[in-house]
Amino acid sequence: MPPEYGDVQVRAGAETDLTALTDLYNHYIRETAITFDTAPFSPAQRRPWLLSHPKDGPYRLLVAQGGDGGLLGYATSSAFRPKGAYATSVETTVYCAPDAAGRGVGTLLYTALFAALADEDVHRAYAGITQPNEASGRLHARFGFRPIGTFTEVGRKFGRYWDVAWYQKDLR
């Protein structure tokens, strides 16, 4: 059972979360360079993404829900690359609601995510962090990620180029 901390519950994401998940992600599309998606999604467009994260296995979607039922954030582990030899590698990410940033929600989500992955056949986790993003770098370092390289000017959004620093975490 997912852990509960105070008025925040971390649990597997469900179809009933789709609109709130889409709204949260669309905030980051419109307002930040954290994601390189440039056009907001409708819930229907985002549904295949949700369905690609079942309740078990290496590809997970966990949500943090406040005591009022509101979505405070989510974390995922997803396929790192589509080729078969990459099957034991995952890419992880965390998105927190703007009003939940700095409240430990990302830490709760990653704690639950890595606990869920502990019994899976996953060897490495990777995270790409658009630069600058000191808070995300600190979060990933707290969970044992280490920097392994930077793709310079790899994405263009809001009329400028952005670097992405890549981090790796050993899971076995």
Side-chain angles (χ1 to χ4, degrees):
M1 170 156 283
E4 287 189 15
Y5 297 91
D7 65 345
V8 178
Q9 178 187 13
V10 177
R11 60 171 174 75
E15 190 111 22
T16 55
D17 299 311
L18 183 57
T19 298
L21 287 164
T22 303
D23 290 345
L24 176 56
Y25 190 63
N26 283 342
H27 162 79
Y28 284 96
I29 292 171
R30 287 188 306 270
E31 305 295 328
T32 77
I34 288 173
T35 176
F36 284 175
D37 280 313
T38 57
F41 289 90
S42 70
Q45 291 170 316
R46 199 76 169 135
R47 189 169 186 271
W49 165 84
L50 180 119
L51 296 177
S52 72
H53 297 90
K55 290 187 189 308
D56 57 8
Y59 309 137
R60 304 285 182 109
L61 165 63
L62 298 179
V63 299
Q65 183 175 8
D68 64 356
L71 183 75
L72 299 176
Y74 69 89
T76 62
S77 57
S78 303
F80 178 65
R81 295 284 183 264
K83 296 178 181 174
Y86 290 117
T88 60
S89 297
V90 294
E91 185 171 347
T92 62
T93 192
V94 173
Y95 285 90
C96 293
D99 60 346
R103 293 179 33 199
V105 172
T107 298
L108 293 176
L109 285 162
Y110 257 4
T111 298
L113 180 65
F114 291 118
L117 293 178
D119 294 329
E120 299 296 336
D121 184 22
V122 180
H123 182 66
R124 297 268 194 277
Y126 296 92
I129 302 172
T130 304
Q131 298 300 297
N133 190 336
E134 291 179 24
S136 187
R138 284 191 307 271
L139 174 68
H140 285 84
R142 190 176 312 124
F143 281 89
F145 282 84
R146 61 183 174 82
I148 56 171
T150 300
F151 293 175
T152 60
E153 297 185 354
V154 69
R156 186 173 67 188
K157 188 171 180 182
F158 302 135
R160 68 170 274 201
Y161 287 96
W162 299 89
D163 297 347
V164 174
W166 283 92
Y167 291 72
Q168 173 181 300
K169 174 182 174 61
D170 300 337
L171 298 174
R172 296 268 175 219

